[in-house]
Amino acid sequence: MTEQIVLKKANTEDAEKIGEVFDLYRQFYKKESDVEICKKYIKERLDNNEADIFFFEDNNECIGLVQLYTTFDSLELSKKIVLYDLYVRSEYRTQGFGKKLMSAALEFAKKNNISGIELSTAKNNTTAQSLYEKLGYERDEDFYNYYLTVTND
């Protein structure tokens, strides 16, 4: 690790390096590795202004990222962020980068007058749950999440 680690807001030119870490994130959730598709996905989100991504860079390499999708909250009549992706390379963990990425998301929300940040994680991801709870996130005990896979016949 060098002292050149910098927190950045991603732009299209960063898609290549971010895509590599995004692929690692997906592998963590048992998805098959495909770096090229991940790079393309990240590039499309950035090109289309569909996501805001903050990442740490060390020697021109992404070491961790947080990806935010701004949407709307009908009950609160305001905007909210869905914090969908948070990942730090294993060799950089326990050094506070996850917490700093979460802080970047919070600062982005405050700066953009967003009323809340919503996230979910695997039930067995106790490390992430511990971080979120230390940062003041509350586990939702009132709602269940459901998902429907849509196939195009």
Side-chain angles (χ1 to χ4, degrees):
M1 185 170 82
T2 70
E3 294 183 28
Q4 300 297 351
I5 297 176
V6 180
L7 177 65
K8 298 174 108 180
K9 187 171 190 298
N11 58 48
T12 302
E13 293 77 38
D14 299 312
E16 289 280 316
K17 63 184 111 181
I18 292 170
E20 293 175 11
V21 174
F22 184 63
D23 184 60
L24 295 173
Y25 163 79
R26 292 184 74 252
Q27 288 178 57
F28 177 82
Y29 282 104
K30 310 295 186 227
K31 299 296 181 182
E32 190 174 318
S33 177
D34 192 327
V35 176
E36 293 310 311
I37 287 178
C38 287
K39 290 176 182 179
K40 182 178 184 235
Y41 179 87
I42 294 297
K43 185 175 185 320
E44 287 174 356
R45 298 296 71 72
L46 294 169
D47 281 347
N48 297 329
N49 294 315
E50 295 170 336
D52 292 284
I53 302 172
F54 295 90
F55 71 103
F56 277 106
E57 184 178 72
D58 185 11
N59 290 324
N60 205 36
E61 176 183 70
C62 176
I63 63 168
L65 68 92
V66 63
Q67 184 163 208
L68 312 171
Y69 299 105
T70 301
T71 187
F72 298 92
D73 186 323
S74 300
L75 298 177
E76 298 301 324
L77 303 173
S78 62
K79 288 183 180 179
K80 71 176 176 182
I81 289 173
V82 177
L83 189 157
Y84 208 91
D85 313 309
L86 174 70
Y87 189 82
V88 176
R89 288 181 185 266
S90 59
E91 62 269 29
Y92 289 90
R93 292 189 188 142
T94 71
Q95 298 178 44
F97 291 111
K99 183 178 180 180
K100 290 175 184 173
L101 288 165
M102 294 294 293
S103 292
L106 178 59
E107 289 307 309
F108 176 81
K110 288 178 178 180
K111 182 178 174 183
N112 290 283
N113 200 31
I114 293 170
S115 67
I117 301 173
E118 178 180 293
L119 60 83
S120 60
T121 191
K123 290 180 182 178
N124 65 351
N125 192 351
T126 56
T127 302
Q129 292 167 30
S130 176
L131 171 63
Y132 303 147
E133 290 170 11
K134 284 179 186 171
L135 294 174
Y137 285 74
E138 297 175 6
R139 185 182 310 216
D140 187 336
E141 303 291 344
D142 297 326
F143 294 91
Y144 290 114
N145 292 312
Y146 290 88
Y147 189 82
L148 174 66
T149 300
V150 178
T151 58
N152 297 318
D153 302 325

Short mmCIF file of all heavy atoms in Angstrom, two decimals, residues 3-32:
data_model
loop_
_atom_site.label_atom_id
_atom_site.label_comp_id
_atom_site.label_asym_id
_atom_site.label_seq_id
_atom_site.Cartn_x
_atom_site.Cartn_y
_atom_site.Cartn_z
N GLU A 3 1.05 5.72 0.00
CA GLU A 3 0.36 6.86 0.57
C GLU A 3 -0.42 7.62 -0.49
O GLU A 3 -0.94 8.69 -0.24
CB GLU A 3 1.37 7.77 1.27
CG GLU A 3 2.00 7.11 2.47
CD GLU A 3 2.95 8.02 3.21
OE1 GLU A 3 2.76 9.25 3.16
OE2 GLU A 3 3.86 7.49 3.84
N GLN A 4 -0.51 7.07 -1.69
CA GLN A 4 -1.20 7.72 -2.80
C GLN A 4 -2.64 7.26 -2.95
O GLN A 4 -3.24 7.44 -3.98
CB GLN A 4 -0.44 7.47 -4.11
CG GLN A 4 0.98 8.00 -4.09
CD GLN A 4 1.04 9.51 -3.92
OE1 GLN A 4 0.05 10.22 -3.97
NE2 GLN A 4 2.23 10.02 -3.71
N ILE A 5 -3.20 6.64 -1.93
CA ILE A 5 -4.58 6.18 -2.02
C ILE A 5 -5.51 7.38 -1.96
O ILE A 5 -5.44 8.19 -1.05
CB ILE A 5 -4.90 5.17 -0.90
CG1 ILE A 5 -4.03 3.93 -1.07
CG2 ILE A 5 -6.38 4.80 -0.94
CD1 ILE A 5 -4.19 2.90 0.01
N VAL A 6 -6.37 7.48 -2.99
CA VAL A 6 -7.23 8.65 -3.15
C VAL A 6 -8.67 8.20 -3.34
O VAL A 6 -8.95 7.24 -4.07
CB VAL A 6 -6.78 9.46 -4.40
CG1 VAL A 6 -7.65 10.69 -4.59
CG2 VAL A 6 -5.32 9.85 -4.29
N LEU A 7 -9.60 8.91 -2.69
CA LEU A 7 -11.03 8.69 -2.91
C LEU A 7 -11.45 9.54 -4.09
O LEU A 7 -11.18 10.75 -4.12
CB LEU A 7 -11.83 9.07 -1.66
CG LEU A 7 -13.35 8.94 -1.79
CD1 LEU A 7 -13.77 7.50 -1.98
CD2 LEU A 7 -14.03 9.54 -0.57
N LYS A 8 -12.14 8.92 -5.06
CA LYS A 8 -12.55 9.64 -6.27
C LYS A 8 -14.01 9.35 -6.58
O LYS A 8 -14.53 8.29 -6.24
CB LYS A 8 -11.71 9.18 -7.47
CG LYS A 8 -10.24 9.46 -7.34
CD LYS A 8 -9.48 8.84 -8.50
CE LYS A 8 -9.00 9.90 -9.44
NZ LYS A 8 -8.26 9.33 -10.58
N LYS A 9 -14.64 10.29 -7.27
CA LYS A 9 -15.96 10.05 -7.86
C LYS A 9 -15.70 9.61 -9.29
O LYS A 9 -14.96 10.27 -10.03
CB LYS A 9 -16.82 11.31 -7.84
CG LYS A 9 -18.25 11.06 -8.30
CD LYS A 9 -19.12 12.28 -8.07
CE LYS A 9 -20.57 11.99 -8.29
NZ LYS A 9 -20.93 11.59 -9.63
N ALA A 10 -16.27 8.50 -9.67
CA ALA A 10 -15.97 7.89 -10.96
C ALA A 10 -16.55 8.67 -12.13
O ALA A 10 -17.61 9.27 -12.04
CB ALA A 10 -16.51 6.46 -11.00
N ASN A 11 -15.81 8.61 -13.24
CA ASN A 11 -16.32 9.06 -14.52
C ASN A 11 -16.08 7.92 -15.51
O ASN A 11 -15.50 6.89 -15.17
CB ASN A 11 -15.68 10.38 -14.95
CG ASN A 11 -14.18 10.29 -15.04
OD1 ASN A 11 -13.63 9.35 -15.62
ND2 ASN A 11 -13.48 11.26 -14.47
N THR A 12 -16.52 8.10 -16.73
CA THR A 12 -16.47 7.03 -17.73
C THR A 12 -15.08 6.44 -17.89
O THR A 12 -14.92 5.24 -18.06
CB THR A 12 -16.99 7.55 -19.08
OG1 THR A 12 -18.32 8.02 -18.89
CG2 THR A 12 -17.01 6.48 -20.13
N GLU A 13 -14.05 7.28 -17.82
CA GLU A 13 -12.68 6.80 -18.01
C GLU A 13 -12.24 5.83 -16.92
O GLU A 13 -11.27 5.10 -17.08
CB GLU A 13 -11.70 7.98 -18.06
CG GLU A 13 -11.87 8.88 -19.28
CD GLU A 13 -13.06 9.82 -19.16
OE1 GLU A 13 -13.33 10.33 -18.05
OE2 GLU A 13 -13.75 10.03 -20.18
N ASP A 14 -12.95 5.80 -15.78
CA ASP A 14 -12.60 4.91 -14.67
C ASP A 14 -13.24 3.54 -14.78
O ASP A 14 -12.97 2.66 -13.95
CB ASP A 14 -13.01 5.56 -13.34
CG ASP A 14 -12.31 6.88 -13.10
OD1 ASP A 14 -11.07 6.92 -13.27
OD2 ASP A 14 -12.99 7.86 -12.75
N ALA A 15 -14.09 3.33 -15.77
CA ALA A 15 -14.87 2.09 -15.87
C ALA A 15 -13.99 0.85 -15.94
O ALA A 15 -14.34 -0.19 -15.35
CB ALA A 15 -15.81 2.14 -17.07
N GLU A 16 -12.88 0.91 -16.63
CA GLU A 16 -12.00 -0.27 -16.77
C GLU A 16 -11.53 -0.75 -15.40
O GLU A 16 -11.66 -1.91 -15.05
CB GLU A 16 -10.80 0.07 -17.65
CG GLU A 16 -11.13 0.24 -19.11
CD GLU A 16 -11.27 -1.08 -19.85
OE1 GLU A 16 -10.44 -1.97 -19.63
OE2 GLU A 16 -12.22 -1.21 -20.64
N LYS A 17 -10.94 0.15 -14.63
CA LYS A 17 -10.38 -0.25 -13.33
C LYS A 17 -11.46 -0.60 -12.33
O LYS A 17 -11.30 -1.52 -11.52
CB LYS A 17 -9.40 0.79 -12.80
CG LYS A 17 -9.98 2.13 -12.49
CD LYS A 17 -8.91 3.12 -12.05
CE LYS A 17 -8.75 4.15 -13.12
NZ LYS A 17 -7.75 5.14 -12.84
N ILE A 18 -12.59 0.10 -12.37
CA ILE A 18 -13.69 -0.20 -11.45
C ILE A 18 -14.33 -1.54 -11.80
O ILE A 18 -14.70 -2.32 -10.92
CB ILE A 18 -14.73 0.93 -11.47
CG1 ILE A 18 -14.12 2.19 -10.86
CG2 ILE A 18 -16.00 0.53 -10.72
CD1 ILE A 18 -14.96 3.43 -11.04
N GLY A 19 -14.44 -1.82 -13.09
CA GLY A 19 -15.04 -3.08 -13.54
C GLY A 19 -14.35 -4.30 -12.99
O GLY A 19 -14.99 -5.32 -12.70
N GLU A 20 -13.04 -4.23 -12.80
CA GLU A 20 -12.30 -5.37 -12.25
C GLU A 20 -12.74 -5.66 -10.81
O GLU A 20 -12.93 -6.81 -10.43
CB GLU A 20 -10.80 -5.08 -12.31
CG GLU A 20 -10.27 -5.02 -13.73
CD GLU A 20 -8.81 -4.62 -13.80
OE1 GLU A 20 -8.14 -4.58 -12.75
OE2 GLU A 20 -8.34 -4.37 -14.92
N VAL A 21 -12.91 -4.61 -10.02
CA VAL A 21 -13.33 -4.80 -8.63
C VAL A 21 -14.81 -5.17 -8.57
O VAL A 21 -15.23 -5.97 -7.73
CB VAL A 21 -13.03 -3.55 -7.78
CG1 VAL A 21 -13.59 -3.66 -6.38
CG2 VAL A 21 -11.52 -3.34 -7.72
N PHE A 22 -15.61 -4.61 -9.47
CA PHE A 22 -17.02 -4.97 -9.54
C PHE A 22 -17.18 -6.47 -9.82
O PHE A 22 -18.05 -7.13 -9.27
CB PHE A 22 -17.71 -4.12 -10.62
CG PHE A 22 -19.19 -4.33 -10.72
CD1 PHE A 22 -20.03 -4.03 -9.66
CD2 PHE A 22 -19.75 -4.81 -11.88
CE1 PHE A 22 -21.40 -4.21 -9.76
CE2 PHE A 22 -21.12 -5.00 -12.00
CZ PHE A 22 -21.94 -4.70 -10.93
N ASP A 23 -16.29 -7.01 -10.65
CA ASP A 23 -16.31 -8.45 -10.92
C ASP A 23 -16.01 -9.24 -9.63
O ASP A 23 -16.67 -10.24 -9.35
CB ASP A 23 -15.30 -8.80 -12.00
CG ASP A 23 -15.33 -10.26 -12.38
OD1 ASP A 23 -16.41 -10.74 -12.83
OD2 ASP A 23 -14.30 -10.95 -12.21
N LEU A 24 -15.07 -8.78 -8.84
CA LEU A 24 -14.76 -9.44 -7.56
C LEU A 24 -15.97 -9.39 -6.62
O LEU A 24 -16.28 -10.37 -5.93
CB LEU A 24 -13.55 -8.79 -6.89
CG LEU A 24 -12.23 -8.92 -7.62
CD1 LEU A 24 -11.16 -8.07 -6.94
CD2 LEU A 24 -11.78 -10.38 -7.69
N TYR A 25 -16.64 -8.24 -6.60
CA TYR A 25 -17.86 -8.09 -5.80
C TYR A 25 -18.90 -9.13 -6.21
O TYR A 25 -19.49 -9.80 -5.38
CB TYR A 25 -18.40 -6.66 -5.97
CG TYR A 25 -19.83 -6.49 -5.55
CD1 TYR A 25 -20.17 -6.35 -4.22
CD2 TYR A 25 -20.86 -6.45 -6.50
CE1 TYR A 25 -21.49 -6.18 -3.82
CE2 TYR A 25 -22.17 -6.28 -6.12
CZ TYR A 25 -22.48 -6.15 -4.78
OH TYR A 25 -23.79 -5.99 -4.40
N ARG A 26 -19.12 -9.27 -7.50
CA ARG A 26 -20.11 -10.23 -7.99
C ARG A 26 -19.71 -11.66 -7.65
O ARG A 26 -20.55 -12.48 -7.32
CB ARG A 26 -20.32 -10.05 -9.50
CG ARG A 26 -20.99 -8.71 -9.82
CD ARG A 26 -21.30 -8.55 -11.30
NE ARG A 26 -22.44 -9.39 -11.64
CZ ARG A 26 -22.39 -10.51 -12.35
NH1 ARG A 26 -21.25 -10.94 -12.84
NH2 ARG A 26 -23.48 -11.20 -12.60
N GLN A 27 -18.42 -11.95 -7.72
CA GLN A 27 -17.95 -13.29 -7.34
C GLN A 27 -18.22 -13.56 -5.86
O GLN A 27 -18.55 -14.69 -5.49
CB GLN A 27 -16.46 -13.43 -7.63
CG GLN A 27 -16.12 -13.52 -9.10
CD GLN A 27 -14.63 -13.60 -9.32
OE1 GLN A 27 -13.97 -14.49 -8.79
NE2 GLN A 27 -14.10 -12.66 -10.09
N PHE A 28 -18.09 -12.53 -5.03
CA PHE A 28 -18.39 -12.66 -3.60
C PHE A 28 -19.82 -13.16 -3.41
O PHE A 28 -20.10 -13.92 -2.49
CB PHE A 28 -18.18 -11.30 -2.91
CG PHE A 28 -18.53 -11.31 -1.44
CD1 PHE A 28 -17.62 -11.77 -0.51
CD2 PHE A 28 -19.76 -10.84 -1.01
CE1 PHE A 28 -17.93 -11.77 0.84
CE2 PHE A 28 -20.08 -10.84 0.34
CZ PHE A 28 -19.17 -11.31 1.26
N TYR A 29 -20.72 -12.72 -4.29
CA TYR A 29 -22.11 -13.14 -4.23
C TYR A 29 -22.40 -14.32 -5.17
O TYR A 29 -23.51 -14.50 -5.64
CB TYR A 29 -23.05 -11.96 -4.51
CG TYR A 29 -23.19 -11.08 -3.29
CD1 TYR A 29 -22.53 -9.86 -3.21
CD2 TYR A 29 -23.93 -11.49 -2.20
CE1 TYR A 29 -22.63 -9.06 -2.08
CE2 TYR A 29 -24.05 -10.70 -1.07
CZ TYR A 29 -23.39 -9.50 -1.01
OH TYR A 29 -23.50 -8.72 0.12
N LYS A 30 -21.35 -15.09 -5.44
CA LYS A 30 -21.46 -16.38 -6.16
C LYS A 30 -21.87 -16.25 -7.62
O LYS A 30 -22.45 -17.16 -8.21
CB LYS A 30 -22.42 -17.35 -5.45
CG LYS A 30 -22.17 -17.51 -3.97
CD LYS A 30 -20.85 -18.15 -3.68
CE LYS A 30 -20.69 -18.43 -2.20
NZ LYS A 30 -19.44 -18.03 -1.65
N LYS A 31 -21.56 -15.12 -8.24
CA LYS A 31 -21.79 -14.95 -9.67
C LYS A 31 -20.52 -15.33 -10.42
O LYS A 31 -19.41 -15.15 -9.92
CB LYS A 31 -22.18 -13.50 -10.00
CG LYS A 31 -23.45 -13.05 -9.32
CD LYS A 31 -24.64 -13.83 -9.80
CE LYS A 31 -25.91 -13.34 -9.14
NZ LYS A 31 -27.08 -14.13 -9.54
N GLU A 32 -20.69 -15.83 -11.63
CA GLU A 32 -19.55 -16.24 -12.44
C GLU A 32 -18.72 -15.02 -12.86
O GLU A 32 -19.27 -13.98 -13.22
CB GLU A 32 -20.05 -16.99 -13.67
CG GLU A 32 -18.94 -17.66 -14.46
CD GLU A 32 -19.49 -18.52 -15.59
OE1 GLU A 32 -20.49 -19.23 -15.35
OE2 GLU A 32 -18.91 -18.46 -16.68
#
